[in-house]
């Protein structure tokens, strides 16, 4: 990559990170004509995966393995019948396939179960961003009466009676004082932070394989970073800005700071995380595209990055959906 192209890429990354509503027209004006090698090089820089995870909290294999087992351990729930994996099912990209989560008693929870991939790079967690760390995030569902309904005195007693678990916690977190709430949450956070989304066909294209995407999918990518404006919120390799936006959905649910703003979900593994949005109101990727092409509720709080008058032909809609599918690994998901 030339120095000029690299500099342009850095500038575009900064614009995306700042939530500046970068459009394909802006990028084209900067990087050259559509489908030019220079423009592709810029986008390939913006969407390239990092070589490694953040090193702010290095983890060990023992910590990750312990977190994995605790994630699947029903002893963390009040009645011993549910675990974190009950709702965050690995075979469904750590979602549950329902519009909204299901509580311990079979009740319907207020929001859709979010996926857990690539959260080591996250800056806040939950649809409303209420948790500042992965450890804080893990604590909420364990204690919530309508989720796992656990309590830590009981959890510590259960796990403390397990000699193998006691020794594993002591070995994984030396100096933790044994089976403690802090050690359990740290192990869960370490495991969740280790979950990296699988490489997809889009990644092969980013890495330089021009044949990884067909003509329709490349058209969809041009729309994604162009007139559809998707890249304004779904930029970077994780396909999220970690921001909070009103995207014109119906309903009275309030998110960030008591406003109609909810966290931008990653589009990684989107094929396997339906239904979509914080309320699970859109069943398919086609429904998502339809929402942005005429079904928006336009109100003063609507995010400025959302294209209010977006019009796409049927072939353009199909191309955009085709591209979105390239962001997911190719595996079969079964209905629960």
């Amino acid at each position: 990559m030339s120095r000029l192209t690299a500099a342009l890429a850095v500038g575009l990354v900064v614009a995306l990170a700042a939530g500046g509503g970068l459009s394909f027209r802006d990028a084209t004006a900067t990087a050259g004509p559509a489908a030019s090698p220079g423009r592709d090089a810029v986008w390939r820089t913006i969407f390239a995966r990092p070589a490694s995870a953040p090193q702010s909290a290095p983890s060990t294999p023992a910590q990750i393995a312990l977190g994995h087992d605790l994630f699947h351990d029903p002893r963390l729930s009040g009645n011993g019948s549910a675990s974190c994996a009950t709702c965050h099912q690995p075979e469904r990209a750590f979602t549950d396939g329902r519009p909204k989560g299901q509580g311990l008693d079979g009740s319907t929870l207020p929001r859709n179960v979010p996926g857990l991939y690539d959260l080591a790079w996250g800056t806040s967690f939950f649809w409303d961003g209420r948790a500042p760390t992965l450890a804080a995030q893990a604590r909420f569902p364990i204690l919530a009466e309508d989720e796992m309904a656990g309590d830590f005195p009981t959890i510590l007693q259960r796990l403390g009676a397990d000699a193998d678990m006691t020794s594993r916690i002591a070995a994984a977190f030396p100096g933790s004082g044994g089976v403690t709430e802090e050690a359990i949450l740290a192990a869960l956070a370490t495991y969740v932070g280790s979950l990296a989304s699988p490489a997809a066909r889009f990644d092969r294209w980013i890495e330089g394989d021009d044949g990884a995407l067909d003509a329709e999918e490349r058209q969809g990518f041009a729309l994604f970073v162009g007139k559809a404006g998707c890249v304004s919120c779904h930029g970077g390799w994780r396909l999220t800005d970690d921001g909070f936006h009103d995207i014109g959905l119906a309903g009275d649910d309030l998110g960030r700071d008591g406003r109609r703003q909810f966290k931008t979900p990653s589009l990684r593994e989107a094929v396997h995380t339906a239904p979509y949005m914080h309320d699970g109101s859109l069943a398919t990727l086609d429904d998502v595209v339809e929402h942005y092409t005429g079904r928006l509720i336009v109100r003063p709080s609507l995010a400025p990055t959302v294209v209010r008058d977006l019009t796409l032909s049927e072939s353009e809609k199909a191309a955009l959906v085709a591209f979105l599918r390239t962001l997911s690994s190719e595996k079969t998901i079964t209905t629960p």
Side-chain angles (χ1 to χ4, degrees):
M1 182 183 296
S2 69
R3 290 183 180 180
L4 175 59
T5 301
L8 293 173
V10 171
L12 292 176
V13 171
V14 170
L16 285 169
L22 180 70
S23 73
F24 181 67
R25 288 185 294 272
D26 299 329
T28 300
T30 304
S36 72
R39 191 217 67 174
D40 282 353
V42 170
W43 288 119
R44 280 169 163 156
T45 298
I46 289 173
F47 288 102
R49 283 176 176 263
S52 60
Q55 295 301 307
S56 57
S59 58
T60 67
Q63 291 170 345
I64 294 171
L66 174 64
H68 168 277
D69 291 350
L70 289 171
F71 189 86
H72 292 79
D73 197 328
R75 290 177 292 183
L76 272 60
S77 66
N79 64 10
S81 68
S83 70
C84 305
T86 300
C87 288
H88 295 285
Q89 300 164 16
E91 66 273 16
R92 289 188 157 271
F94 296 94
T95 62
D96 69 349
R98 298 182 173 90
K100 296 180 179 180
Q102 182 172 291
L104 193 65
D105 59 358
S107 61
T108 299
L109 300 178
R111 292 175 184 158
N112 179 263
V113 174
L116 301 180
Y117 278 126
D118 305 321
L119 293 185
W121 288 264
T123 55
S124 62
F125 309 94
F126 290 107
W127 284 106
D128 55 14
R130 80 188 85 136
T133 66
L134 285 173
Q137 183 278 326
R139 192 173 190 272
F140 275 101
I142 291 173
L143 299 182
E145 287 296 326
D146 58 352
E147 294 192 49
M148 294 175 69
D151 67 89
F152 273 101
T154 301
I155 293 169
L156 299 182
Q157 182 180 35
R158 289 171 176 170
L159 298 182
D162 182 336
D164 179 64
M165 181 61 69
T166 300
S167 63
R168 289 183 65 191
I169 290 176
F173 295 97
S176 64
V179 182
T180 64
E181 176 180 339
E182 291 73 19
I184 292 168
L185 295 178
L188 288 169
T190 299
Y191 169 63
V192 172
S194 75
L195 300 174
S197 59
R201 281 197 295 119
F202 178 62
D203 295 296
R204 300 209 319 262
W205 183 82
I206 289 296
E207 291 168 359
D209 181 358
D210 289 329
L213 304 185
D214 64 26
E216 182 182 44
E217 292 159 350
R218 290 195 299 272
Q219 180 192 10
F221 176 67
L223 291 164
F224 184 89
V225 299
K227 74 175 184 179
C230 313
V231 74
S232 296
C233 294
H234 294 284
W237 76 274
R238 290 193 300 129
L239 287 304
T240 174
D241 63 356
D242 281 318
F244 298 83
H245 309 282
D246 177 356
I247 56 169
L249 291 168
D252 298 323
D253 192 9
L254 299 178
R256 182 77 159 183
D257 299 327
R259 294 181 288 181
R260 294 178 183 271
Q261 294 185 349
F262 295 91
K263 189 175 182 180
T264 305
S266 170
L267 298 180
R268 290 284 176 181
E269 294 299 282
V271 166
H272 310 307
T273 61
Y276 306 103
M277 307 303 180
H278 74 276
D279 57 0
S281 59
L282 303 181
T284 68
L285 291 173
D286 296 272
D287 292 336
V288 172
V289 172
E290 289 292 340
H291 169 73
Y292 287 105
T293 53
R295 298 182 183 177
L296 290 170
I297 296 177
V298 178
R299 51 194 172 222
S301 60
L302 187 67
T305 50
V306 173
V307 181
R308 283 155 171 74
D309 57 352
L310 178 62
T311 300
L312 297 177
S313 67
E314 292 305 311
S315 64
E316 286 177 321
K317 291 177 184 178
L320 186 52
V321 170
F323 166 68
L324 293 174
R325 292 184 175 278
T326 72
L327 303 174
S328 300
S329 58
E330 297 172 7
K331 60 182 181 181
T332 302
I333 301 298
T334 56
T335 301

